Amino acid sequence: MALCFYYGAGSPYAWRVWLALEHKHLRYELKALSFDAGDLKKPEYTAINPRQKVPAIVDDGLALYESAAILEYLDERHDETPLLFPGDIRQRALIRRMVREADQYLANPLEELVANVLYTPKAEWQQETIARSRDAFTRELGLWETMIAGDTLAGELSAADFTLYPLIALALRIEKRKPDVEIGARIGPRLAAWMKRVEALPYFARTWPAHWT
């Protein structure tokens, strides 16, 4: 049976798993869930992920959620190349560190921006709160600008790249809703070039959120 992948369009955490599945050339059945329709709170999905978030997978009877754990599982379950955590023990440790850093230091201010812009009516936007989250996000981008090891974040295309890209893409989506948040202008040249390389991957277009223009 093909792996079932539960996905919500626009979720950066689900997006990283989709990129990983494509990168590893794995067979999967895409189960698109609707946030607006309340699909994540329906009993059949709650039985898979009681936290009622995406992503989740069901593979050979195993239900697994939390995107970072899913990436680790996919690499151990399918340990043939291409790998999500390639290289020797030091390189793999570097990739794991970057995944953790992105989730801890970049995703947190991004989630604040999502809550304060995308999920808040425009009339209720709090400019100081939004600016504070934006500044924390873009300061962190400045650090990532210095961390790129070459064409990719960690020497080879890896879980680190698939983790970071969707976070930045969602921030740029927020900028479309609120242009004066000015995130794109604060992305450094090395990160901008790296994003273009990710976007040039042959499977990238298949994973782009359908409702984004």
Side-chain angles (χ1 to χ4, degrees):
M1 293 178 61
L3 175 151
C4 289
F5 167 45
Y6 293 85
Y7 167 83
S11 163
Y13 308 103
W15 196 353
R16 78 174 67 167
V17 173
W18 199 352
L19 286 166
L21 288 167
E22 289 287 341
H23 177 66
K24 291 185 71 66
H25 311 298
L26 298 179
R27 291 178 59 248
Y28 61 91
E29 181 181 356
L30 181 65
K31 302 279 192 178
L33 303 180
S34 168
F35 299 107
D36 293 339
D39 289 348
L40 279 69
K41 298 184 178 184
K42 292 179 179 177
E44 55 268 32
Y45 185 68
T46 298
I48 294 167
N49 184 355
R51 296 193 181 274
Q52 301 179 337
K53 296 181 178 180
V54 287
I57 63 170
V58 176
D59 184 37
D60 195 23
L62 171 68
L64 184 64
Y65 53 92
E66 296 300 327
S67 58
I70 291 172
L71 297 192
E72 296 265 5
Y73 170 79
L74 292 176
D75 239 26
E76 293 190 26
R77 170 86 159 144
H78 305 278
D79 60 359
E80 63 276 9
T81 56
L83 293 171
L84 300 168
F85 298 87
D88 61 16
I89 188 171
R90 294 188 177 191
Q91 185 176 356
R92 295 195 302 274
L94 176 65
I95 294 166
R96 291 186 175 96
R97 191 206 77 201
M98 287 183 167
V99 169
R100 177 61 179 162
E101 284 181 294
D103 282 341
Q104 180 65 34
Y105 303 114
L106 203 62
N108 285 342
L110 175 63
E111 289 183 1
E112 292 174 2
L113 282 171
V114 169
N116 293 320
V117 177
L118 297 184
Y119 292 158
T120 299
K122 187 174 182 179
E124 299 176 16
W125 282 351
Q126 300 293 321
Q127 300 300 334
E128 289 185 6
T129 301
I130 293 170
R132 186 164 53 248
S133 299
R134 183 273 316 277
D135 290 345
F137 184 84
T138 55
R139 277 197 304 271
E140 183 64 20
L141 286 185
L143 180 58
W144 284 89
E145 177 76 6
T146 70
M147 289 164 56
I148 299 177
D151 286 347
T152 61
L153 293 177
E156 297 178 61
L157 191 64
S158 73
D161 300 283
F162 299 144
T163 297
L164 183 64
Y165 181 92
L167 296 173
I168 300 176
L170 180 55
L172 293 174
R173 177 72 176 177
I174 292 171
E175 184 181 58
K176 286 194 170 185
R177 175 81 180 274
K178 191 178 191 304
D180 65 356
V181 80
E182 293 184 341
I183 290 172
R186 302 185 183 205
I187 296 175
R190 296 175 69 189
L191 268 180
W194 163 80
M195 290 184 72
K196 290 186 182 299
R197 288 191 288 272
V198 173
E199 291 160 3
L201 293 171
Y203 45 79
F204 175 83
R206 289 196 290 274
T207 70
W208 185 258
H211 66 292
W212 288 13
T213 57

